[in-house]
Amino acid sequence: MASSNPKENAPKYLYLVKKLQELVEELHTAGSDCFPTERELCERYDVSRVTVRKALDELEKAGYIYRIQGKGAFVCQKKIQQTLFHLSSFSEDMSARQMISGSKVLAVETISASSTIAEKLYIEEGSPVILLKRLRLANRVPMAIETCYLAYPVGCIIKKHIVDDVSLYGLLKDKCGIKLVRAEQSIGVGLLEPWEMSLFGKDAPPYALQMTRQTFDEKQQAIEYVESKYRGDQYSYHISIKTE
């Protein structure tokens, strides 16, 4: 007769994966991101280290945890999901999720446009542009690093008024009379620089979602070009696809 015990019917590591998924939820509820060590898991579930490592591999592939060499395993936070069928600001995205958005200005200065920036803003290479770099926060938790490039006339107005926790899109509307209507956006995956990891916190994973956005007004003029890095363990994108 076959055993009715799922632990006996399934490979040990698969049973352990299920138990560790439950543990992740418990840690989410407790507000903890530190995952037990391999040794602690062996003792807690009475399994071998080989079984523990196989289970941890499965959890990492599924996005439940991430591991940092020499530091151990950490719980991935439940991700904030952004949809891609509607143009919205970071502040609007957080407000829609009943989260408090925030920002910290890291730099605001005048630079010469590189060939890439010039192409995105439809200006001559070497023309002055305003660079605005900010750390974006959700419920005071660092979520993204944004580097925004604005054409000089508009950027100069923004430079006078931008401070921590102020919406850039709000300033564009209220101070510049600009209504943004569409954007071209691309998404990739990359690694964080050491200084970027320090802004996100010591437990931040080394990977990030990389986003670029070219935003246009009603006259189809390019108003901004943005390069952003979002914490890979806390942010995701949702795309709605139709057949027609």
Side-chain angles (χ1 to χ4, degrees), residues 3 32 78 85 93 122 193-194 196:
S3 172
S32 174
K78 291 185 176 180
F85 59 84
D93 290 337
Y122 303 153
E193 299 290 337
E196 294 171 326

Side-chain angles (χ1 to χ4, degrees), residues 21 42 50 52 85 110 115 158 164 166 197 217 222 226 237 242:
Q21 288 172 341
C42 289
V50 171
V52 166
F85 59 84
T110 303
S115 58
I158 297 301
D164 292 354
V166 168
M197 290 189 66
D217 66 5
V226 184
Y237 284 86
K242 297 182 179 180

